[in-house]
Amino acid sequence: MNLAALATAAAPEPVEAVAGTGQLIAAALIGIAVLVIAITYFKLHPFLALILGALTVGAIAGRAMLDVVASFSAGVGSTVSGVGVLIALGAMFGKLLADSGGADQIVDTIVGRSSQRMLPWSMAAIGAIIGLPMFFEIGLVLLMPVIFLVAKRAERSIISLGIPALAGLSAMHGFVPPHPGPLAAIDLVDANLGLTLGLGVLVAIPTIVLAGPVFARFADRWVPVPAGDLYDASTEKRERRPSFGITLATVLLPVVLMMGKAFGDIAVDDGTTLRSILDFIGEPFVALLIAVLVAVFTFGIGTGMSKEDVSDVLSSSLPPIAGIILIVGAGGGFKQTLVDTGIAEVVADFVRDSGVSVLLIAWLVAVVIRVATGSATVATITAAGIMVPIAADLPSGEVSLLVLAIGAGSVFFSHVNDAGFWLVKEYFGLTVGQTIKSWSIMETVLSVSGLVVVLALNLVV
């Protein structure tokens, strides 16, 4: 029996809420408050904070505590089995891309062909391409030497080129699988992954343009900071790197495979051999597995790595993402607690009767949790859990847009409780005020413009 089946077997049947509506709403609000205070004031790890929040919700809602534990455990199991393996494969792929020099190849090719005027746009493209297969923190660290060296070479402000690159990176993190937040939200609300991926790219492009090159013009005036000497242009590179074409093809391979499945769902008859093949290779697990295996040759053996080198790279990619997998799993447990206590259904009824756009409410919920906790991933999976019963009533296209609305809310106004805020501040050598005027406002522009694009797409999808 696999993990998903085991978790399903262990889960208690959803029960009719024995508590009144007021008590259930109070349970949800107090549970989220416990989550927020534990993370922000007591500096507790989000994994533990989500456990405490779930137990608080169940206790105040009047459920037997053993049932609450069973609900939480079932949610963790189903979420980790659905998302955890994908996060691990994505980490392996990203590590191979970085250590092979493939990321450097993308940078050198795009920057080398860019004029001074087009450099901000090129940096946005680099951020988006590198951000596609990589987790945000890894992509951020990888981009920093690129931003510094290009800014020094072009004699440009670090803000004028850094903001576009970070906008591309952040947009991929918020909108496009295989990042943990979007993947977890897709799993929780049962969205179509291929459709969500395609719509996510559509949302990401205009938001990157607005929050990146366009906003950078203003941020550069507010925070005119030259590039420092943090990085030396003589940084050692691998002697053999994959070509730009091979690198780009390998990076885009899992995206193409997953999009192929979405195309097959629409254009190919069910039951045919072609449809079966597209469904199989486009399954996220299989698509990422194929991409990692291809990367072993294109980014590993093809660049002169020995089998032992490849093994070491793959092994070293996993420890840093253990915490992410635990947080995402605990978020799934928190969601299951909300569902099994009946709280999520109460919220769903309120939303249905309010007449307010479901997408707007989903964005607002994610914004509140993001600003309070500083974690985009926690904001995404908590908001998605609250919106689960509502998603069940929506058509497939709108469920995908719901995921993207939550993703937009999850990147709103990064500030002092967000690790990304301090990474940008310290790397760029900014004050807190300068970081808010540049990075924090960029994230807000990204969030709001993302919501606007999602609402616009909802008119036609």
Side-chain angles (χ1 to χ4, degrees):
M1 181 180 289
N2 60 29
L3 278 175
L6 185 62
T8 302
E13 290 293 321
V15 296
E16 290 292 325
V18 294
T21 299
Q23 184 178 344
L24 290 175
I25 293 174
L29 294 176
I30 295 173
I32 292 173
V34 167
L35 168 65
V36 170
I37 293 170
I39 293 173
T40 58
Y41 184 76
F42 292 102
K43 309 301 179 187
L44 203 61
H45 191 279
F47 174 69
L48 293 175
L50 283 161
I51 294 174
L52 293 178
L55 293 175
T56 301
V57 166
I60 296 176
R63 289 200 74 199
M65 293 308 294
L66 284 179
D67 288 343
V68 176
V69 171
S71 292
F72 183 86
S73 300
V76 171
S78 62
T79 302
V80 170
S81 67
V83 179
V85 176
L86 303 182
I87 295 174
L89 289 171
M92 289 180 172
F93 187 90
K95 184 67 171 171
L96 282 168
L97 173 63
D99 286 8
S100 68
D104 293 321
Q105 185 66 43
I106 292 173
V107 171
D108 292 346
T109 302
I110 293 179
V111 171
R113 297 178 181 177
S114 301
S115 65
Q116 279 278 348
R117 181 171 169 272
M118 290 301 296
L119 265 181
W121 298 84
S122 298
M123 294 301 292
I126 288 170
I129 293 172
I130 289 179
L132 192 60
M134 289 191 173
F135 300 124
F136 179 79
E137 290 79 5
I138 299 171
L140 181 62
V141 172
L142 182 66
L143 274 175
M144 282 303 169
V146 175
I147 295 169
F148 272 80
L149 296 177
V150 173
K152 291 192 74 171
R153 186 193 309 172
E155 298 182 344
R156 298 282 293 268
S157 157
I158 195 74
I159 296 296
S160 68
L161 300 182
I163 287 297
L166 295 177
L169 185 68
S170 186
M172 294 297 107
H173 176 71
F175 297 124
V176 181
H179 288 282
L183 272 179
I186 288 167
D187 182 69
L188 292 174
V189 302
D190 197 25
N192 181 295
L193 186 137
L195 181 59
T196 307
L197 193 154
L199 291 173
V201 172
L202 287 179
V203 172
I205 292 172
T207 58
I208 291 172
V209 169
L210 289 173
V214 173
F215 173 69
R217 296 178 185 176
F218 300 96
D220 192 29
R221 297 173 195 166
W222 302 336
V223 189
V225 178
D229 297 319
L230 182 61
Y231 294 97
D232 187 348
S234 64
T235 301
E236 184 181 349
K237 304 290 183 184
R238 291 189 63 84
E239 290 184 6
R240 292 172 59 187
R241 298 190 300 189
S243 69
F244 176 74
I246 289 176
T247 301
L248 190 61
T250 308
V251 168
L252 295 178
L253 176 60
V255 177
V256 171
L257 292 177
M258 287 186 279
M259 290 294 290
K261 181 180 185 301
F263 171 79
D265 291 341
I266 297 171
V268 181
D269 291 336
D270 196 9
T272 62
T273 301
L274 178 59
R275 176 68 177 273
S276 298
I277 293 173
L278 290 174
D279 283 346
F280 176 70
I281 64 175
E283 184 67 24
F285 169 73
V286 177
L288 281 170
L289 177 62
I290 291 172
V292 170
L293 294 177
V294 170
V296 165
F297 292 96
T298 58
F299 296 156
I301 305 299
T303 64
M305 290 187 192
S306 66
K307 290 181 288 186
E308 290 76 15
D309 291 336
V310 172
S311 177
D312 289 343
V313 169
L314 295 178
S315 297
S316 64
S317 69
L318 296 177
I321 52 92
I324 295 174
I325 294 176
L326 287 174
I327 292 171
V328 169
F334 188 84
K335 177 273 300 186
Q336 195 61 44
T337 303
L338 291 173
V339 171
D340 289 348
T341 54
I343 292 170
E345 191 60 48
V346 169
V347 175
D349 290 340
F350 169 77
V351 172
R352 294 186 191 106
D353 297 338
S354 69
V356 179
S357 167
V358 170
L359 302 179
L360 178 59
I361 289 179
W363 180 82
L364 286 171
V365 171
V367 163
V368 170
I369 299 170
R370 156 67 164 181
V371 172
T373 67
S375 171
T377 303
V378 171
T380 300
I381 56 185
T382 306
I386 291 172
M387 303 302 287
V388 164
I390 300 169
D393 299 333
L394 301 177
S396 178
E398 196 166 355
V399 175
S400 294
L401 291 177
L402 179 71
V403 171
L404 299 178
I406 292 171
S410 75
V411 298
F412 187 89
F413 195 71
S414 164
H415 62 100
V416 294
N417 62 357
D418 178 18
F421 178 93
W422 295 105
L423 279 173
V424 173
K425 175 190 178 298
E426 295 304 319
Y427 270 119
F428 283 11
L430 307 176
T431 66
V432 169
Q434 288 175 325
T435 311
I436 290 173
K437 284 192 226 177
S438 53
W439 162 254
S440 300
I441 296 180
M442 182 217 79
E443 288 279 84
T444 303
V445 172
L446 193 72
S447 176
V448 174
S449 59
L451 173 66
V452 171
V453 176
V454 167
L455 293 175
L457 284 174
N458 191 42
L459 299 176
V460 296
V461 172

